[in-house]
Amino acid sequence: MDALVITTVDGIAYGLLLAIAAAGLTVAFGAGGVLNLAHGTLIATGGYIAATTTAGTWGSLVAAMALAALAGAAGGGVLAAATAALRGRGHLDQALLTFGVALIGADLLTTAYGSDLLRPRMPAALESTIVVAGYRYPVDRLAAFAVAVLVAACGYVLLHRARAGRLIRATVDDRAMVAAIGVNPRTVDAAVLVASGALAGLAGALTTPILGVGPGTADTALLLSLIIVVCGGLGSVPGAVIAAIGVGVVQTVGVVTIPALAPYLLTAMAVILLARPSTVPGQATP
């Protein structure tokens, strides 16, 4: 029972990290109008930066997270410029372009960092364990959990309370009205993709201490993000968070309790969510 409680908490923490990664993808699609299949490559880039720039100190850890977010934001800016000319031509063209970028990016990352699974050097305080409610738990996972909650809260406030968030939602609803008040909707689209890339890079940095980063990271991150976005609702951040927690718990608990069936549990969960009669809370309706 103790192991199951710890594993469930692990799953929730893992799900929140997945939520940050998937939020970038769903915001890019829902608000930026871009189906970005290079999203997993941006996550892997953030992970590699975290793995190679940390030196076991708090300063290097903060710098690594900032660099990962900046690299992701730069990647988002490049994708915004690349996909700007494709607006109005449907998502298939965007998917083909970003898929090509993903292939090139994955090859460059493997060439630069090799084929080994890399992990960052964390400060000693984060590599210890503490007792929480009678259970010993790794400090680095609690820290990642706290940062994920903080990022999710900040993202919600920014999207629903700040002027920038209202402008993004207005652009989705009525681009002509946004243009009428003197704001170029394409500038908003580009800003959304930059923010989406920053979230992807940060998610990569946050997950690397727990999962490591290697040649398969980009594909796995993209696959899980797509499952979460589809199950949570395209363009719905709250839906993505709920679906991400479900994916994290199902995957983590399944591997521990019934490892032989674990590869099939995620598929079963996706089928059940897609076949449900109503939307999850916060999901965008067609």
Side-chain angles (χ1 to χ4, degrees), residues 104-202:
I104 296 172
D107 186 65
L108 290 176
L109 288 174
T110 302
T111 301
Y113 296 106
S115 57
D116 294 334
L117 189 69
L118 305 180
R119 295 182 186 277
R121 292 178 56 197
M122 304 293 285
L126 291 179
E127 293 185 339
S128 59
T129 61
I130 60 173
V131 177
V132 178
Y135 303 105
R136 298 205 68 83
Y137 201 78
V139 175
D140 59 348
R141 299 192 180 194
L142 284 177
F145 181 89
V147 173
V149 171
L150 179 63
V151 171
C154 290
Y156 180 84
V157 171
L158 178 65
L159 197 58
H160 293 275
R161 297 288 184 270
R163 183 179 183 276
R166 290 194 292 269
L167 192 58
I168 291 172
R169 287 185 286 120
T171 303
V172 174
D173 294 334
D174 192 338
R175 297 176 69 85
M177 184 273 291
V178 172
I181 63 173
V183 177
N184 189 339
R186 293 198 173 193
T187 302
V188 178
D189 296 338
V192 167
L193 284 176
V194 169
S196 167
L199 281 175
L202 181 60

Side-chain angles (χ1 to χ4, degrees), residues 39-71:
H39 192 70
T41 303
L42 296 180
I43 294 173
T45 300
Y48 277 118
I49 290 175
T52 54
T53 58
T54 50
T57 63
W58 288 102
S60 66
L61 177 61
V62 172
M65 293 177 64
L67 285 174
L70 286 174

Side-chain angles (χ1 to χ4, degrees), residues 141-286:
R141 299 192 180 194
L142 284 177
F145 181 89
V147 173
V149 171
L150 179 63
V151 171
C154 290
Y156 180 84
V157 171
L158 178 65
L159 197 58
H160 293 275
R161 297 288 184 270
R163 183 179 183 276
R166 290 194 292 269
L167 192 58
I168 291 172
R169 287 185 286 120
T171 303
V172 174
D173 294 334
D174 192 338
R175 297 176 69 85
M177 184 273 291
V178 172
I181 63 173
V183 177
N184 189 339
R186 293 198 173 193
T187 302
V188 178
D189 296 338
V192 167
L193 284 176
V194 169
S196 167
L199 281 175
L202 181 60
L206 289 173
T207 54
T208 300
I210 300 172
L211 303 177
V213 59
T217 299
D219 293 340
T220 302
L222 177 62
L223 176 62
L224 290 175
S225 295
L226 286 174
I227 291 174
I228 290 166
V229 168
V230 172
C231 291
L234 292 171
S236 171
V237 174
V241 172
I242 294 171
I245 292 175
V247 168
V249 171
V250 167
Q251 192 172 31
T252 306
V253 175
V255 168
V256 173
T257 55
I258 42 178
L261 297 178
Y264 307 102
L265 292 176
L266 208 54
T267 302
M269 190 202 84
V271 171
I272 292 172
L273 285 176
L274 290 173
R276 68 194 182 282
S278 59
T279 59
V280 295
Q283 178 173 331
T285 54

